[in-house]
Amino acid sequence: MKCSIVMTGGVVKGAFQTGVLKSLAERNIIPSVVVGASAGALNAGMTTKLIAEDNFKPEVIEDQMIKVWLYETSLMNLWGESTNKNNTIRDILGINTNPFMIIKKLSNFEIEIWEKLKKILSLSFLSVFNNESLMKVLNNYIKAPNEILNDVKCAVSLTDLLGHTEIINNQKINNYSEYVTFEFKKGDNDKLREKFKLLREVILASASFPGMFPPFEIDIKKDGNKRLYIDGGITKNAPFGRAIKLDSEVEYVFLISTTNISKPVINSISTFTDLISQLYEIIITKDIANDYRKVIQINEKINILSNLLEKDKNNIIIDNKKNNDLCKLAGFKNVKDYLSKRIVKIIFIEPEKPLEGDPFAGIYRKDNRKILENYINEGYKVGNKVLDNFFN
């Protein structure tokens, strides 16, 4: 079965996706394309690495991917070590090992910490954490294999913070969305370390949730022109269109969302927290309906044209003027473009009910490990339920 996997953002609720991935691996469903944004980019990178080295197996997902979410995403681990760049709260405070030392220093009325708080209140910082701890995780879990054993493509959604200008039909338009695609072919061992280094950097940028991690500079095109990138989920959180384009044979796309996309998350808004939570949901799901509608419309056009286009005696569509005109009317460039399309089914995999806590609960709450375990178990349960229905 030719399929692709798309994973949305959701900060530490991304742990939910690893449970789903385990359920896919148990049924030996191995995608040819993996696409991710934000937290989904982290999972996409780890999934790509496992597929490339022929290790996309439930026990390996348990040992590596699930382990990352359970043991590497705590407040203590993300707090990391100081870089003295003074562009994060972590670096301004300069407290090396334990973020909870802030409370102790404040309670003791230490002048130094109060002076640093003044600087924080002036908003002269970019984020809470620096990105060194996250990069350390990526370096440990997304290493280049010695050789590629399976074909796989990976795409990561990024937000270009300063934007770039595109010319569409002679009209200049600012665009803040960008994708970076990696293709790994069986037997390939050329410059794998370099490719995986760039993959890790792109994932770090896509996972840089605003305010949590600082923007990250990357020279993606290797032309000496570094650009500033942040969380890819801001501009394209569920890029299943990209997953369809990257493999012309893909018939099924599994969209693994950390939030509910087929039912309301809340029914009323009565507090500021409710408002912020709902705005977050709107941002990360804003394009899904339109993108899904486009896929359905293309599927319908393919079905209609298959009955309208002229065919030869062998039932092969003829490349003539009439057929080309019909294809253009339907929105395709020509017959060749139409023939390159196929009907694709999007399979939604989402929590049955909103996952517990806010997107950061798995970081700062005392029961964070239990919360993360619940996310993973929910993903595994839902994944199996959806796959049972799919195969039945």
Side-chain angles (χ1 to χ4, degrees):
M1 179 180 69
K2 271 283 192 175
C3 70
S4 61
I5 292 175
V6 177
M7 290 177 277
T8 69
V11 195
V12 292
K13 290 184 178 181
F16 167 85
Q17 294 167 342
T18 61
V20 177
L21 291 169
K22 183 181 175 182
S23 70
L24 289 165
E26 285 181 343
R27 297 170 191 249
N28 201 33
I29 298 174
I30 303 175
S32 60
V33 177
V34 187
V35 183
S38 194
L42 172 59
N43 287 328
M46 291 190 287
T47 300
T48 298
K49 184 244 186 187
L50 294 183
I51 293 171
E53 63 187 15
D54 196 24
N55 242 343
F56 189 68
K57 301 169 184 176
E59 63 273 17
V60 181
I61 291 171
E62 184 83 38
D63 183 57
Q64 295 189 26
M65 296 184 69
I66 290 176
K67 183 178 177 181
V68 166
W69 287 102
L70 287 179
Y71 300 105
E72 304 286 355
T73 58
S74 68
L75 180 59
M76 295 291 289
N77 283 342
L78 292 176
W79 191 251
E81 299 176 358
S82 178
T83 59
N84 295 316
K85 293 179 181 178
N86 290 327
N87 62 352
T88 71
I89 290 178
R90 170 54 212 80
D91 297 324
I92 291 171
L93 292 173
I95 296 171
N96 289 321
T97 57
N98 190 342
F100 298 103
M101 284 296 294
I102 301 169
I103 299 171
K104 182 178 179 181
K105 286 177 176 289
L106 287 172
S107 62
N108 290 339
F109 294 98
E110 294 184 20
I111 294 175
E112 179 189 7
I113 196 71
W114 285 99
E115 289 296 323
K116 290 178 178 180
L117 278 178
K118 286 182 183 179
K119 188 171 183 178
I120 291 171
L121 292 173
S122 71
L123 301 181
S124 57
F125 62 90
L126 287 174
S127 62
V128 175
F129 307 114
N130 59 50
N131 48 32
E132 292 181 8
S133 295
L134 183 54
M135 180 53 87
K136 190 179 293 185
V137 172
L138 297 176
N139 288 336
N140 288 336
Y141 289 91
I142 309 182
K143 295 177 181 177
N146 294 324
E147 184 180 354
I148 303 300
L149 300 179
N150 283 320
D151 292 350
V152 61
K153 293 179 182 177
C154 174
V156 176
S157 168
L158 293 171
T159 297
D160 183 345
L161 193 56
L162 302 180
H164 54 276
T165 302
E166 292 185 359
I167 299 177
I168 303 174
N169 197 25
N170 296 321
Q171 174 63 51
K172 289 184 177 180
I173 299 176
N174 289 334
N175 187 11
Y176 297 91
S177 177
E178 190 163 336
Y179 293 99
V180 183
T181 301
F182 300 84
E183 183 174 5
F184 301 102
K185 288 187 172 293
K186 185 177 181 179
D188 183 18
N189 58 8
D190 183 39
K191 296 182 178 179
L192 286 182
R193 288 188 179 183
E194 183 180 323
K195 291 176 183 176
F196 271 81
K197 180 177 182 293
L198 179 58
L199 174 61
R200 291 192 296 268
E201 290 177 346
V202 169
I203 291 169
L204 181 65
S206 184
S208 293
F209 188 89
M212 185 176 177
F213 295 106
F216 191 70
E217 269 191 333
I218 319 177
D219 179 9
I220 290 175
K221 297 180 181 178
K222 301 299 180 184
D223 58 1
N225 181 26
K226 287 188 175 182
R227 300 195 65 80
L228 205 57
Y229 296 99
I230 57 169
D231 193 329
I234 294 174
T235 49
K236 210 66 175 176
N237 192 49
F240 48 81
R242 182 65 45 167
I244 295 170
K245 290 179 182 178
L246 286 177
D247 189 337
S248 60
E249 296 181 359
V250 160
E251 295 179 308
Y252 301 97
V253 176
F254 293 97
L255 174 59
I256 310 175
S257 173
T258 60
T259 188
N260 298 91
I261 52 180
S262 64
K263 58 182 81 72
V265 175
I266 57 176
N267 297 315
S268 64
I269 295 175
S270 56
T271 67
F272 181 71
T273 303
D274 290 342
L275 177 62
I276 296 300
S277 295
Q278 185 63 7
L279 288 174
Y280 171 77
E281 295 292 335
I282 291 170
I283 289 171
I284 66 174
T285 60
K286 59 184 171 58
D287 292 326
I288 293 178
N290 285 334
D291 290 348
Y292 183 68
R293 189 179 295 111
K294 289 176 185 177
V295 172
I296 298 304
Q297 288 172 346
I298 291 173
N299 287 346
E300 290 173 347
K301 290 175 182 178
I302 291 172
N303 270 328
I304 292 170
L305 282 175
S306 67
N307 295 320
L308 292 177
L309 296 177
E310 293 181 348
K311 302 177 180 67
D312 62 20
K313 61 182 180 180
N314 295 317
N315 204 35
I316 304 298
I317 293 172
I318 303 169
D319 189 354
N320 59 20
K321 185 178 184 305
K322 178 183 176 182
N323 283 351
N324 276 295
D325 288 343
L326 285 171
C327 287
K328 287 177 183 178
L329 283 172
F332 301 102
K333 295 177 183 177
N334 46 42
V335 169
K336 185 178 179 181
D337 182 38
Y338 163 76
L339 292 174
S340 71
K341 310 297 181 184
R342 72 282 182 204
I343 292 174
V344 178
K345 184 174 182 180
I346 311 296
I347 298 142
F348 293 100
I349 304 180
E350 59 179 330
E352 292 187 330
K353 59 182 180 180
L355 295 174
E356 178 185 356
D358 60 63
F360 305 97
I363 295 176
Y364 68 85
R365 277 177 40 172
K366 288 183 178 180
D367 59 343
N368 68 308
R369 183 75 55 79
K370 184 64 176 176
I371 290 172
L372 291 169
E373 288 174 350
N374 290 341
Y375 293 165
I376 295 162
N377 292 336
E378 174 72 5
Y380 183 68
K381 182 185 76 173
V382 171
N384 279 313
K385 183 176 180 179
V386 171
L387 292 174
D388 284 342
N389 292 334
F390 176 75
F391 285 109
N392 291 334

